[in-house]
Amino acid sequence: MEDFAPLIRQEMKQFAELYFKDEKLLYYANLFMERKFTEPMKFGPLTVLHYRLFGGTSPEAAYHAGASIELFILASDILDDLQDQDAPHQPWSQAPLPIALHLATVFMTLSQQALTECGLEAEIVLPVIDMMNKQLLIAANGQMADLGNLATDEASYLSIVQHKSAALLVLACMTGVMLTGREWHAGVAEYAEQLGIAAQIENDRRDLLRWDEKNDFLQRKKTLLTLYLLEDLGERDQWVADYYACRINETEALGMQEEFEQLCERSGTMLYGSAMFSLYFNRFQELLGNIPETAGKIQEIMAIVSGKIANSGIPQ
Amino acid sequence: MLKETIRSLASNGFVVGAQPQLAGVSAAEHSALQDALKNQQEKKGNYQLAFWG
């Protein structure tokens, strides 16, 4: 299966070299990009794949678009980590804050520029830019709600996810589709949204099992799984509610790892997460199969989202 | 409702032999629950579904 990531990375670095004339700006840009390149690349490759699946033939358009999406995702990741303050080991968390913020803003601008230089006619590119901005504004609203930890129940949490992380997956897939000259494809939007929600649920499951600064319980985050847990606590488990209400401090909570893991198991929290993941993932597969251009392409898409590309040579 | 079904299963110690209470559970939710119970039984990689790697 073809790995789109190497050429996307190449484009990202070339755009940075072309436009970042300040030595320090280029240094930090390369530092942050190289760190990002150690992770499996998903959004940009989904853009390239969808461009090809829907009949796109220009390599320049495909990989400029892929680079555009990845530059935005990098900017978004930087800002997310700075906002949540839960990624101390990332280079952008270690760099001076003004510099990290500045790099995030210039990556966003570079993202737009990469798309405008994709070599296609304005009649095709302008609607894509319009769609991109609208999706980013949807995601911005979701991110704001997430920052406020505003979820109160399953429905409100899923609404936040729909507007935050799922909107970015829709953006990645739809950019590829619309660069072929097509209009917004409702079917692609629908399955991309289901995939995005499934991905976020999987992230939530992972972030409940790890016992570090990214654990959602330790961060007192309201996620699908922590909300499930909080809704029906037995008497002996009230310490969880006490922690969320700040009646127990972080140091005390840190010592409760074993109790917390056992609670997640016996309460059905992890099973609930697994079932909800399957619910959205199964729906994604069903919708994918309903579209002629994507039916039968589940393996290609899964190879990208699972971060497993054969012979990629990139640490996974 | 899926949540209530899972809480019921949890309170019964996840006895897999018994059919989960299906009242209010849609066909899609039932299928998803069966997938999840299967994964739990097989204990795939500490619940990492190797999905969003």
PDB file of all heavy atoms in Angstrom, chain A residues 108-133:
ATOM      1  N   MET A 108      -0.202  28.104  10.252  1.00  0.00           N
ATOM      2  CA  MET A 108      -1.560  28.247   9.721  1.00  0.00           C
ATOM      3  C   MET A 108      -1.544  29.030   8.419  1.00  0.00           C
ATOM      4  O   MET A 108      -2.244  28.676   7.458  1.00  0.00           O
ATOM      5  CB  MET A 108      -2.465  28.956  10.741  1.00  0.00           C
ATOM      6  CG  MET A 108      -2.839  28.068  11.893  1.00  0.00           C
ATOM      7  SD  MET A 108      -4.330  28.635  12.690  1.00  0.00           S
ATOM      8  CE  MET A 108      -4.554  27.354  13.900  1.00  0.00           C
ATOM      9  N   THR A 109      -0.758  30.076   8.374  1.00  0.00           N
ATOM     10  CA  THR A 109      -0.664  30.876   7.158  1.00  0.00           C
ATOM     11  C   THR A 109      -0.004  30.065   6.046  1.00  0.00           C
ATOM     12  O   THR A 109      -0.449  30.096   4.890  1.00  0.00           O
ATOM     13  CB  THR A 109       0.146  32.157   7.423  1.00  0.00           C
ATOM     14  OG1 THR A 109      -0.398  32.826   8.547  1.00  0.00           O
ATOM     15  CG2 THR A 109       0.119  33.079   6.212  1.00  0.00           C
ATOM     16  N   LEU A 110       1.048  29.336   6.403  1.00  0.00           N
ATOM     17  CA  LEU A 110       1.739  28.502   5.411  1.00  0.00           C
ATOM     18  C   LEU A 110       0.796  27.435   4.859  1.00  0.00           C
ATOM     19  O   LEU A 110       0.858  27.075   3.681  1.00  0.00           O
ATOM     20  CB  LEU A 110       2.966  27.849   6.044  1.00  0.00           C
ATOM     21  CG  LEU A 110       4.026  27.313   5.084  1.00  0.00           C
ATOM     22  CD1 LEU A 110       4.635  28.424   4.241  1.00  0.00           C
ATOM     23  CD2 LEU A 110       5.129  26.586   5.853  1.00  0.00           C
ATOM     24  N   SER A 111      -0.081  26.930   5.713  1.00  0.00           N
ATOM     25  CA  SER A 111      -1.081  25.949   5.291  1.00  0.00           C
ATOM     26  C   SER A 111      -1.952  26.514   4.174  1.00  0.00           C
ATOM     27  O   SER A 111      -2.162  25.878   3.138  1.00  0.00           O
ATOM     28  CB  SER A 111      -1.944  25.555   6.492  1.00  0.00           C
ATOM     29  OG  SER A 111      -3.134  24.921   6.084  1.00  0.00           O
ATOM     30  N   GLN A 112      -2.417  27.730   4.363  1.00  0.00           N
ATOM     31  CA  GLN A 112      -3.255  28.374   3.345  1.00  0.00           C
ATOM     32  C   GLN A 112      -2.459  28.571   2.051  1.00  0.00           C
ATOM     33  O   GLN A 112      -2.976  28.355   0.952  1.00  0.00           O
ATOM     34  CB  GLN A 112      -3.745  29.735   3.855  1.00  0.00           C
ATOM     35  CG  GLN A 112      -4.751  29.644   4.995  1.00  0.00           C
ATOM     36  CD  GLN A 112      -6.152  29.349   4.496  1.00  0.00           C
ATOM     37  OE1 GLN A 112      -6.621  29.959   3.547  1.00  0.00           O
ATOM     38  NE2 GLN A 112      -6.829  28.422   5.123  1.00  0.00           N
ATOM     39  N   GLN A 113      -1.199  28.982   2.194  1.00  0.00           N
ATOM     40  CA  GLN A 113      -0.379  29.254   1.025  1.00  0.00           C
ATOM     41  C   GLN A 113      -0.115  27.988   0.231  1.00  0.00           C
ATOM     42  O   GLN A 113      -0.113  27.989  -1.007  1.00  0.00           O
ATOM     43  CB  GLN A 113       0.944  29.900   1.451  1.00  0.00           C
ATOM     44  CG  GLN A 113       1.781  30.452   0.302  1.00  0.00           C
ATOM     45  CD  GLN A 113       1.047  31.512  -0.501  1.00  0.00           C
ATOM     46  OE1 GLN A 113       0.156  32.195   0.012  1.00  0.00           O
ATOM     47  NE2 GLN A 113       1.404  31.661  -1.771  1.00  0.00           N
ATOM     48  N   ALA A 114       0.109  26.881   0.937  1.00  0.00           N
ATOM     49  CA  ALA A 114       0.355  25.605   0.257  1.00  0.00           C
ATOM     50  C   ALA A 114      -0.844  25.230  -0.614  1.00  0.00           C
ATOM     51  O   ALA A 114      -0.685  24.713  -1.725  1.00  0.00           O
ATOM     52  CB  ALA A 114       0.632  24.502   1.283  1.00  0.00           C
ATOM     53  N   LEU A 115      -2.031  25.532  -0.138  1.00  0.00           N
ATOM     54  CA  LEU A 115      -3.225  25.200  -0.913  1.00  0.00           C
ATOM     55  C   LEU A 115      -3.380  26.132  -2.113  1.00  0.00           C
ATOM     56  O   LEU A 115      -3.697  25.690  -3.221  1.00  0.00           O
ATOM     57  CB  LEU A 115      -4.463  25.270  -0.022  1.00  0.00           C
ATOM     58  CG  LEU A 115      -5.717  24.629  -0.603  1.00  0.00           C
ATOM     59  CD1 LEU A 115      -5.509  23.144  -0.862  1.00  0.00           C
ATOM     60  CD2 LEU A 115      -6.897  24.818   0.358  1.00  0.00           C
ATOM     61  N   THR A 116      -3.121  27.413  -1.916  1.00  0.00           N
ATOM     62  CA  THR A 116      -3.281  28.343  -3.033  1.00  0.00           C
ATOM     63  C   THR A 116      -2.253  28.070  -4.129  1.00  0.00           C
ATOM     64  O   THR A 116      -2.485  28.419  -5.283  1.00  0.00           O
ATOM     65  CB  THR A 116      -3.166  29.808  -2.581  1.00  0.00           C
ATOM     66  OG1 THR A 116      -1.883  30.019  -1.986  1.00  0.00           O
ATOM     67  CG2 THR A 116      -4.235  30.160  -1.570  1.00  0.00           C
ATOM     68  N   GLU A 117      -1.141  27.426  -3.796  1.00  0.00           N
ATOM     69  CA  GLU A 117      -0.105  27.119  -4.795  1.00  0.00           C
ATOM     70  C   GLU A 117      -0.208  25.690  -5.320  1.00  0.00           C
ATOM     71  O   GLU A 117       0.772  25.137  -5.810  1.00  0.00           O
ATOM     72  CB  GLU A 117       1.284  27.340  -4.174  1.00  0.00           C
ATOM     73  CG  GLU A 117       1.618  28.798  -3.911  1.00  0.00           C
ATOM     74  CD  GLU A 117       3.057  28.972  -3.449  1.00  0.00           C
ATOM     75  OE1 GLU A 117       3.889  28.076  -3.713  1.00  0.00           O
ATOM     76  OE2 GLU A 117       3.345  29.997  -2.796  1.00  0.00           O
ATOM     77  N   CYS A 118      -1.394  25.098  -5.231  1.00  0.00           N
ATOM     78  CA  CYS A 118      -1.514  23.688  -5.639  1.00  0.00           C
ATOM     79  C   CYS A 118      -1.553  23.510  -7.150  1.00  0.00           C
ATOM     80  O   CYS A 118      -1.564  22.381  -7.639  1.00  0.00           O
ATOM     81  CB  CYS A 118      -2.737  23.047  -4.988  1.00  0.00           C
ATOM     82  SG  CYS A 118      -4.306  23.608  -5.679  1.00  0.00           S
ATOM     83  N   GLY A 119      -1.600  24.623  -7.904  1.00  0.00           N
ATOM     84  CA  GLY A 119      -1.509  24.515  -9.357  1.00  0.00           C
ATOM     85  C   GLY A 119      -2.834  24.327 -10.067  1.00  0.00           C
ATOM     86  O   GLY A 119      -2.860  24.205 -11.297  1.00  0.00           O
ATOM     87  N   LEU A 120      -3.930  24.326  -9.330  1.00  0.00           N
ATOM     88  CA  LEU A 120      -5.244  24.158  -9.965  1.00  0.00           C
ATOM     89  C   LEU A 120      -5.907  25.521 -10.176  1.00  0.00           C
ATOM     90  O   LEU A 120      -5.509  26.517  -9.583  1.00  0.00           O
ATOM     91  CB  LEU A 120      -6.142  23.262  -9.103  1.00  0.00           C
ATOM     92  CG  LEU A 120      -5.631  21.848  -8.860  1.00  0.00           C
ATOM     93  CD1 LEU A 120      -6.582  21.084  -7.940  1.00  0.00           C
ATOM     94  CD2 LEU A 120      -5.472  21.080 -10.174  1.00  0.00           C
ATOM     95  N   GLU A 121      -6.926  25.523 -11.016  1.00  0.00           N
ATOM     96  CA  GLU A 121      -7.606  26.793 -11.320  1.00  0.00           C
ATOM     97  C   GLU A 121      -8.321  27.358 -10.093  1.00  0.00           C
ATOM     98  O   GLU A 121      -8.765  26.601  -9.215  1.00  0.00           O
ATOM     99  CB  GLU A 121      -8.656  26.594 -12.426  1.00  0.00           C
ATOM    100  CG  GLU A 121      -8.160  25.877 -13.671  1.00  0.00           C
ATOM    101  CD  GLU A 121      -8.325  24.378 -13.542  1.00  0.00           C
ATOM    102  OE1 GLU A 121      -9.432  23.874 -13.711  1.00  0.00           O
ATOM    103  OE2 GLU A 121      -7.307  23.693 -13.239  1.00  0.00           O
ATOM    104  N   ALA A 122      -8.477  28.667 -10.104  1.00  0.00           N
ATOM    105  CA  ALA A 122      -9.146  29.347  -8.991  1.00  0.00           C
ATOM    106  C   ALA A 122     -10.565  28.838  -8.791  1.00  0.00           C
ATOM    107  O   ALA A 122     -11.040  28.752  -7.650  1.00  0.00           O
ATOM    108  CB  ALA A 122      -9.157  30.854  -9.240  1.00  0.00           C
ATOM    109  N   GLU A 123     -11.223  28.458  -9.890  1.00  0.00           N
ATOM    110  CA  GLU A 123     -12.615  27.978  -9.787  1.00  0.00           C
ATOM    111  C   GLU A 123     -12.694  26.726  -8.919  1.00  0.00           C
ATOM    112  O   GLU A 123     -13.724  26.443  -8.318  1.00  0.00           O
ATOM    113  CB  GLU A 123     -13.189  27.636 -11.174  1.00  0.00           C
ATOM    114  CG  GLU A 123     -13.414  28.824 -12.089  1.00  0.00           C
ATOM    115  CD  GLU A 123     -12.153  29.363 -12.714  1.00  0.00           C
ATOM    116  OE1 GLU A 123     -11.128  28.640 -12.756  1.00  0.00           O
ATOM    117  OE2 GLU A 123     -12.152  30.528 -13.146  1.00  0.00           O
ATOM    118  N   ILE A 124     -11.597  25.967  -8.887  1.00  0.00           N
ATOM    119  CA  ILE A 124     -11.573  24.769  -8.047  1.00  0.00           C
ATOM    120  C   ILE A 124     -11.060  25.104  -6.644  1.00  0.00           C
ATOM    121  O   ILE A 124     -11.621  24.675  -5.644  1.00  0.00           O
ATOM    122  CB  ILE A 124     -10.678  23.673  -8.674  1.00  0.00           C
ATOM    123  CG1 ILE A 124     -11.325  23.136  -9.949  1.00  0.00           C
ATOM    124  CG2 ILE A 124     -10.425  22.538  -7.681  1.00  0.00           C
ATOM    125  CD1 ILE A 124     -10.496  22.101 -10.684  1.00  0.00           C
ATOM    126  N   VAL A 125     -10.006  25.912  -6.573  1.00  0.00           N
ATOM    127  CA  VAL A 125      -9.335  26.148  -5.294  1.00  0.00           C
ATOM    128  C   VAL A 125     -10.160  27.030  -4.346  1.00  0.00           C
ATOM    129  O   VAL A 125     -10.210  26.770  -3.139  1.00  0.00           O
ATOM    130  CB  VAL A 125      -7.940  26.774  -5.519  1.00  0.00           C
ATOM    131  CG1 VAL A 125      -7.260  27.095  -4.202  1.00  0.00           C
ATOM    132  CG2 VAL A 125      -7.064  25.831  -6.336  1.00  0.00           C
ATOM    133  N   LEU A 126     -10.814  28.045  -4.895  1.00  0.00           N
ATOM    134  CA  LEU A 126     -11.561  28.969  -4.012  1.00  0.00           C
ATOM    135  C   LEU A 126     -12.658  28.274  -3.205  1.00  0.00           C
ATOM    136  O   LEU A 126     -12.774  28.526  -1.998  1.00  0.00           O
ATOM    137  CB  LEU A 126     -12.120  30.139  -4.819  1.00  0.00           C
ATOM    138  CG  LEU A 126     -11.080  31.200  -5.203  1.00  0.00           C
ATOM    139  CD1 LEU A 126     -11.686  32.262  -6.112  1.00  0.00           C
ATOM    140  CD2 LEU A 126     -10.473  31.854  -3.959  1.00  0.00           C
ATOM    141  N   PRO A 127     -13.482  27.417  -3.809  1.00  0.00           N
ATOM    142  CA  PRO A 127     -14.482  26.705  -2.986  1.00  0.00           C
ATOM    143  C   PRO A 127     -13.832  25.814  -1.925  1.00  0.00           C
ATOM    144  O   PRO A 127     -14.402  25.632  -0.842  1.00  0.00           O
ATOM    145  CB  PRO A 127     -15.246  25.850  -4.002  1.00  0.00           C
ATOM    146  CG  PRO A 127     -15.057  26.552  -5.302  1.00  0.00           C
ATOM    147  CD  PRO A 127     -13.678  27.138  -5.241  1.00  0.00           C
ATOM    148  N   VAL A 128     -12.647  25.279  -2.214  1.00  0.00           N
ATOM    149  CA  VAL A 128     -11.958  24.435  -1.227  1.00  0.00           C
ATOM    150  C   VAL A 128     -11.518  25.287  -0.038  1.00  0.00           C
ATOM    151  O   VAL A 128     -11.681  24.893   1.112  1.00  0.00           O
ATOM    152  CB  VAL A 128     -10.746  23.720  -1.849  1.00  0.00           C
ATOM    153  CG1 VAL A 128     -10.025  22.894  -0.802  1.00  0.00           C
ATOM    154  CG2 VAL A 128     -11.176  22.835  -2.999  1.00  0.00           C
ATOM    155  N   ILE A 129     -10.969  26.452  -0.346  1.00  0.00           N
ATOM    156  CA  ILE A 129     -10.551  27.362   0.729  1.00  0.00           C
ATOM    157  C   ILE A 129     -11.756  27.785   1.562  1.00  0.00           C
ATOM    158  O   ILE A 129     -11.698  27.839   2.801  1.00  0.00           O
ATOM    159  CB  ILE A 129      -9.807  28.579   0.152  1.00  0.00           C
ATOM    160  CG1 ILE A 129      -8.460  28.140  -0.424  1.00  0.00           C
ATOM    161  CG2 ILE A 129      -9.611  29.650   1.216  1.00  0.00           C
ATOM    162  CD1 ILE A 129      -7.686  29.230  -1.123  1.00  0.00           C
ATOM    163  N   ASP A 130     -12.870  28.050   0.890  1.00  0.00           N
ATOM    164  CA  ASP A 130     -14.102  28.423   1.591  1.00  0.00           C
ATOM    165  C   ASP A 130     -14.539  27.294   2.528  1.00  0.00           C
ATOM    166  O   ASP A 130     -14.847  27.516   3.706  1.00  0.00           O
ATOM    167  CB  ASP A 130     -15.196  28.730   0.564  1.00  0.00           C
ATOM    168  CG  ASP A 130     -16.516  29.072   1.230  1.00  0.00           C
ATOM    169  OD1 ASP A 130     -16.607  30.140   1.855  1.00  0.00           O
ATOM    170  OD2 ASP A 130     -17.464  28.268   1.128  1.00  0.00           O
ATOM    171  N   MET A 131     -14.521  26.062   2.015  1.00  0.00           N
ATOM    172  CA  MET A 131     -14.899  24.901   2.828  1.00  0.00           C
ATOM    173  C   MET A 131     -13.946  24.729   3.996  1.00  0.00           C
ATOM    174  O   MET A 131     -14.352  24.486   5.131  1.00  0.00           O
ATOM    175  CB  MET A 131     -14.885  23.643   1.944  1.00  0.00           C
ATOM    176  CG  MET A 131     -15.216  22.347   2.649  1.00  0.00           C
ATOM    177  SD  MET A 131     -13.839  21.534   3.506  1.00  0.00           S
ATOM    178  CE  MET A 131     -12.711  21.218   2.161  1.00  0.00           C
ATOM    179  N   MET A 132     -12.670  24.891   3.716  1.00  0.00           N
ATOM    180  CA  MET A 132     -11.664  24.712   4.754  1.00  0.00           C
ATOM    181  C   MET A 132     -11.894  25.705   5.893  1.00  0.00           C
ATOM    182  O   MET A 132     -11.912  25.323   7.074  1.00  0.00           O
ATOM    183  CB  MET A 132     -10.270  24.904   4.148  1.00  0.00           C
ATOM    184  CG  MET A 132      -9.140  24.705   5.120  1.00  0.00           C
ATOM    185  SD  MET A 132      -7.531  25.037   4.373  1.00  0.00           S
ATOM    186  CE  MET A 132      -7.078  23.445   3.790  1.00  0.00           C
ATOM    187  N   ASN A 133     -12.095  26.955   5.537  1.00  0.00           N
ATOM    188  CA  ASN A 133     -12.293  27.966   6.583  1.00  0.00           C
ATOM    189  C   ASN A 133     -13.551  27.679   7.399  1.00  0.00           C
ATOM    190  O   ASN A 133     -13.559  27.841   8.619  1.00  0.00           O
ATOM    191  CB  ASN A 133     -12.362  29.366   5.969  1.00  0.00           C
ATOM    192  CG  ASN A 133     -10.989  29.866   5.534  1.00  0.00           C
ATOM    193  OD1 ASN A 133      -9.964  29.440   6.062  1.00  0.00           O
ATOM    194  ND2 ASN A 133     -10.958  30.758   4.575  1.00  0.00           N
TER     195      ASN A 133
END
